[in-house]
Amino acid sequence: STQSHGGSVKMSTLVTLVGTPFSTFTRAISMGLLEKGIAFDQVPALPHSDDAKAHHPMGRIPSFCHGGFWLFESLAISRYIDASFPSSAPLRSQDTRAAAIEDQWASFIADYAFSALEHGLIKVRLAASTDASDERYNAKVAEGLQRSAAILDIIEASVQGPFLLGSEVRWPDLFLIPILSDLNATVDSNLISSRPKLAAWFQVMTSRDSYARTSAGTLEAKQSKL
């Protein structure tokens, strides 16, 4: 069923977000809308469902609607949100070069971090065999750990603090935190805690109201350490 999220911004047209809370990209956009105080309705559609296919040619999530204008792909949605609601808690810098760096890291996270962590490790853990001697499973985990560690080392070296790119929360923060929330629900949570700057950033992000308000239905909320 559709879920309504209140906001402080006066709205003349309705905002709708299509995507299940379990989706990291859907959560990133949800958090952005909440950070900006934008009220929206959320249709908790699964990937490749009829609702997802109706607005994304590949049946992916999220998709987004503002006053009848539909968009898919999270990077496009995030840029539209800041351009359309510039006066409320900007998540993208006005300075051209600063904005380009933010886009750079959002793209890096959406591509490399998502692939390495979600597909390469977290989903491997979710599909885990109970047989610890399963050589294929152990090989996949070992590869996933190596890839994930390499990506997180790159991010660790780039964290400026308290947020990824300095003193203000930006879209790269919101793209990364849902992925690391999932990671924190697995036995590999030490990949976060063993990196001091990333661990401090994780504490800052998980204490935000937008994080708490989007936790229901996520991997971290649904289960204990895998």
Side-chain angles (χ1 to χ4, degrees), residues 177-188:
I177 191 60
I179 300 171
L180 294 199
S181 172
D182 284 357
L183 180 64
N184 197 52
T186 75
V187 295
D188 303 310

Side-chain angles (χ1 to χ4, degrees), residues 24-25 27-28 31 105-106 108-110 112-114 117-118 122 151-152 155-156 159 163-164 170-183 192 198 201-202 205 211:
T24 55
F25 288 111
R27 189 179 189 187
M31 287 184 67
W105 281 106
F108 179 89
I109 291 162
Y112 303 105
F114 180 82
L117 290 155
E118 289 287 348
I122 296 165
I151 291 293
L152 293 177
I155 296 173
E156 170 76 5
V159 175
F163 301 103
L164 291 180
R170 292 291 187 251
W171 282 110
D173 298 289
L174 304 182
F175 275 63
L176 183 59
I177 191 60
I179 300 171
L180 294 199
S181 172
D182 284 357
L183 180 64
I192 303 170
L198 198 60
W201 170 88
F202 187 79
M205 290 302 299
Y211 182 88

